[in-house]
Each structure stands twice: as structure tokens, then as C-alpha cells.
């Protein structure tokens, strides 16, 4: 059981790394400090591939956390 959870943990970590690296940067620099940046709700309207990458990232992050907790109790 430990081996299976460990393999799933490594796979979820690799998918998480790849999806985070594939996402576009949303860095606004110092414009975000002065209020010149877009509003929070306007930024969340991702479309297409970016929305899919965000969903995959959220799912893999959740799976990674759950698998880490399971691994802690098993091993």
C-alpha cells in the first residue's frame, strides 16, 4: 500500500509542477500596489487552455495534499 501511495504522490507532484510551469505569468509589477492593476474579479475570467490548466493544478494540488496525509498515516 505504501508503494502505491508513494507512486501516486510522485505522479501528482510531477503533474503539478508541469501545469504550474505551463501557466502564463500574471505578474503586474508595482501597478498592483498602486491600484492600477485589474480588479480581482476581472482577472478570474480565464478562457480555454488557461482555465483547464488552472483546474488541473487545483485538482493535483488537492490530490497531493490528500496523498501526503495518507502517506503520513500509512508510513
Amino acid at each position: 500500500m505504501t508503494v502505491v501511495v508513494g507512486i501516486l504522490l510522485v505522479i501528482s507532484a510531477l503533474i503539478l509542477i508541469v501545469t504550474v510551469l505551463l501557466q502564463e505569468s500574471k505578474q503586474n509589477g508595482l501597478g498592483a500596489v498602486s491600484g492600477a492593476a485589474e480588479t480581482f474579479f476581472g482577472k478570474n475570467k480565464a478562457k480555454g487552455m488557461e482555465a483547464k490548466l488552472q483546474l488541473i493544478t487545483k485538482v493535483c494540488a488537492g490530490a497531493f495534499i490528500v496523498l501526503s496525509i495518507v502517506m503520513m498515516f500509512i508510513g
Side-chain angles (χ1 to χ4, degrees):
M1 185 71 167
T2 305
V3 174
V4 174
V5 174
I7 291 171
L8 291 174
L9 188 62
V10 170
I11 290 172
S12 68
L14 291 175
I15 293 172
L16 185 62
I17 290 168
V18 170
T19 56
V20 167
L21 289 176
L22 286 176
Q23 292 181 19
E24 293 180 16
S25 174
K26 294 184 180 177
Q27 185 177 15
N28 290 326
L30 292 177
V33 174
S34 65
E38 279 188 63
T39 62
F40 175 74
F41 297 107
K43 295 175 94 175
N44 287 335
K45 295 183 180 179
K47 297 179 183 176
M49 189 64 162
E50 188 69 24
K52 291 178 186 175
L53 285 173
Q54 287 179 357
L55 178 64
I56 293 170
T57 302
K58 290 175 186 176
V59 169
C60 284
F64 183 81
I65 291 169
V66 169
L67 287 170
S68 297
I69 293 170
V70 169
M71 186 69 136
M72 180 183 66
F73 286 118
I74 289 176

